């Protein structure tokens, strides 16, 4: 049986869109399936400043539109649908989606990762009412107000710098005594007069207050100094949580993963299942960057093309 497509890519972030471009350009009948909006995490970057070839910061939205345009120009098809299951029988993969079933010789998983929750009282209840996981999306609502940022990695530092343009009252709390973030980013945060960094500090609770309209919104937090064990309350209008990511691997529960749950591949992006490749933030990779995701997407598509040639007996030996 000939499948509908040669290659299906699941996930339309930087890795998936690049894989779609490379797959289609290699003359594979390529379909990219994305659940929500193309662009993935890059979509919410306010000013992307470290993608080679873009010396001036570019909005993630504009940038990923160009990724999409390029993939479509080479002939990739794009389907907006939620993938429900992924199975393989003989040499054919079956991808069941909310828009029907699609089949292919090879699949690239580029499903990315989602934000991690703090798991403290008040977080869930006040989500969307001052608790946020996206500074670009929600920061402007709190212009000139006080905001608390939780986390110590690149995301927390990057997003704090963005928020520091909106207000001079940012409190940033990190559970350790120094940042995990790249030094250049961490130094920028530490130098910012608008950011009050508190190390060895954790959030214990997020408290709501009633607005004059009777709505509940973030009003203050209980913080704990982990060195002294002392707790204290801090007023804040918003809590931005950037404490890492969880890979989206629900479709492939049985694939080998690292201790963080990220999918293991070889250097050709091949997973333990022949014909199933993986790229981007869902993969076990030492450096999660858009440029890395794009590079991995290109390698995965190239490997998929070679794999397909191989199973069809067209390999260049
Ligand atoms: P990350 O690098 O994993 O950092 C997560 C931070 O949150 C760590 O500092 C961690 O503390 C802290 N944390 C984790 N769980 C916590 C909890 N329950 N309570 C309090 N704090 C907690 O995650 P990320 O910053 O989201 O970055 C994810 C990936 O994307 C990284 O590879 C990063 O390099 C990349 N990224 C890059 C950029 C950029 O280059 N501009 C921007 C954003 C993201 P510990 O340090 O104690 O573990």
């Amino acid at each position: 049986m000939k499948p509908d497509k040669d290659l299906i890519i699941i996930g339309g972030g930087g890795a998936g869109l690049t894989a779609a471009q490379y797959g289609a350009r290699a003359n594979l009948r390529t379909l990219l399936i994305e659940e929500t909006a193309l662009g993935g995490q890059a979509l919410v970057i306010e000013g992307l400043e470290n993608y080679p070839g873009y010396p001036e910061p570019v909005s993630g939205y504009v940038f990923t539109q160009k990724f999409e345009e390029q993939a479509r120009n080479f002939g990739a098809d794009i389907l907006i649908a939620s993938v429900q299951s992924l199975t393989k029988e003989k040499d054919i993969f079956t991808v069941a989606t909310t828009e029907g079933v699609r089949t292919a010789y090879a699949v690239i998983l580029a499903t990315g990762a989602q934000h991690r929750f703090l798991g403290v009282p008040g977080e869930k209840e006040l989500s969307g009412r001052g608790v946020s996981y996206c500074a670009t999306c929600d920061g402007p609502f709190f212009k000139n107000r006080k905001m608390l940022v939780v986390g110590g990695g690149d995301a927390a530092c990057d997003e704090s710098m963005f928020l520091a343009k909106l207000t001079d009252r940012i409190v940033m709390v990190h559970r350790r005594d120094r940042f995990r973030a790249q030094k250049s980013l961490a130094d920028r945060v530490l130098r910012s007069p608008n950011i009050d960094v508190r190390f060895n500090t954790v959030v214990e609770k997020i408290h709501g207050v009633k607005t004059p309209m009777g709505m509940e919104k973030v009003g203050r937090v209980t913080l704990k100094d982990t060195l002294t064990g002392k707790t204290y309350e801090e007023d804040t209008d918003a809590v931005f949580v950037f404490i890492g990511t969880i890979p989206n691997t629900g479709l492939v529960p049985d694939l080998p993963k690292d201790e963080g749950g990220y999918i293991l591949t070889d250097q050709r992006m091949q997973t333990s299942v022949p014909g199933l490749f993986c790229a981007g933030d869902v993969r076990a990779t030492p450096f999660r960057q858009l440029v890395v995701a794009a590079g991995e997407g290109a390698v995965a598509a190239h490997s998929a093309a070679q794999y397909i040639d191989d199973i069809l007996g067209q390999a260049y030996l």
Side-chain angles (χ1 to χ4, degrees):
M1 174 197 106
K2 190 173 176 186
D4 309 319
K5 293 285 178 185
D6 297 318
L7 173 63
I8 290 179
I9 297 149
I10 306 176
L17 284 167
T18 307
Q21 182 201 143
Y22 272 74
R25 190 162 177 268
N27 230 7
L28 298 177
R29 296 170 304 140
T30 301
L31 172 68
L32 182 148
I33 307 175
E34 162 59 43
E35 188 169 22
T36 53
L38 293 169
Q41 289 190 49
L43 213 50
V44 296
I45 300 175
E46 198 231 359
L48 176 64
E49 61 174 21
N50 59 359
Y51 200 92
Y54 287 79
E56 297 302 323
V58 52
S59 102
Y61 177 73
V62 168
F63 186 74
T64 50
Q65 275 187 326
K66 296 212 175 291
F67 268 50
E68 177 188 349
E69 188 185 329
Q70 215 167 348
R72 286 194 193 272
N73 285 350
F74 283 114
D77 289 333
I78 294 175
L79 173 70
I80 300 297
S82 172
V83 175
Q84 317 275 277
S85 68
L86 171 65
T87 50
K88 184 183 182 192
E89 199 174 329
K90 297 206 173 105
D91 278 336
I92 307 288
F93 287 91
T94 299
V95 182
T97 83
T98 45
E99 298 295 320
V101 170
R102 303 289 193 280
T103 52
Y105 292 121
V107 168
I108 297 174
L109 268 179
T111 43
Q114 56 184 293
H115 59 76
R116 187 181 281 140
F117 296 95
L118 265 178
V120 298
E123 180 185 23
K124 211 167 160 190
E125 300 82 339
L126 294 163
S127 180
R129 293 160 184 240
V131 174
S132 171
Y133 306 85
C134 176
T136 320
C137 321
D138 299 325
F141 293 123
F142 301 98
K143 199 167 178 205
N144 296 324
R145 314 255 290 274
K146 186 165 169 184
M147 310 184 211
L148 186 104
V149 174
V150 193
D154 284 341
C157 287
D158 243 358
E159 304 291 342
S160 293
M161 288 307 297
F162 169 72
L163 295 173
K165 287 192 247 170
L166 300 174
T167 182
D168 58 1
R169 289 188 294 155
I170 292 184
V171 174
M172 188 171 177
V173 298
H174 179 37
R175 64 184 180 183
R176 286 216 229 182
D177 61 356
R178 66 200 148 93
F179 286 131
R180 173 183 290 279
Q182 300 164 62
K183 195 170 181 315
S184 57
L185 267 176
D187 284 349
R188 258 190 257 174
V189 168
L190 290 168
R191 279 199 306 268
S192 170
N194 293 356
I195 307 175
D196 167 8
V197 177
R198 299 189 197 164
F199 289 120
N200 302 304
T201 302
V202 294
V203 177
E204 291 219 312
K205 187 172 178 180
I206 304 172
H207 304 264
V209 289
K210 284 258 190 290
T211 66
M213 304 287 282
M215 301 266 292
E216 186 92 342
K217 68 172 190 68
V218 168
R220 63 185 201 287
V221 286
T222 303
L223 300 178
K224 181 177 171 183
D225 180 324
T226 57
L227 295 181
T228 62
K230 267 178 76 174
T231 59
Y232 59 100
E233 300 211 341
E234 182 88 28
D235 287 344
T236 186
D237 294 303
V239 177
F240 285 89
V241 182
F242 303 110
I243 58 165
T245 55
I246 303 168
N248 294 320
T249 58
L251 287 173
V252 287
D254 301 329
L255 282 191
K257 307 192 181 71
D258 71 3
E259 64 287 348
Y262 295 89
I263 296 169
L264 293 167
T265 72
D266 65 12
Q267 61 175 358
R268 299 171 57 78
M269 311 296 140
Q270 168 72 64
T271 69
S272 61
V273 175
L276 178 57
F277 301 84
C278 177
D281 283 0
V282 69
R283 193 181 91 90
T285 183
F287 197 33
R288 291 196 167 77
Q289 298 281 297
L290 192 48
V291 67
V292 176
E296 290 183 1
V299 175
H302 180 66
S303 302
Q306 287 184 329
Y307 166 83
I308 294 168
D309 278 350
D310 218 16
I311 59 167
L312 296 182
Q314 298 165 353
Y316 183 83
L317 299 171

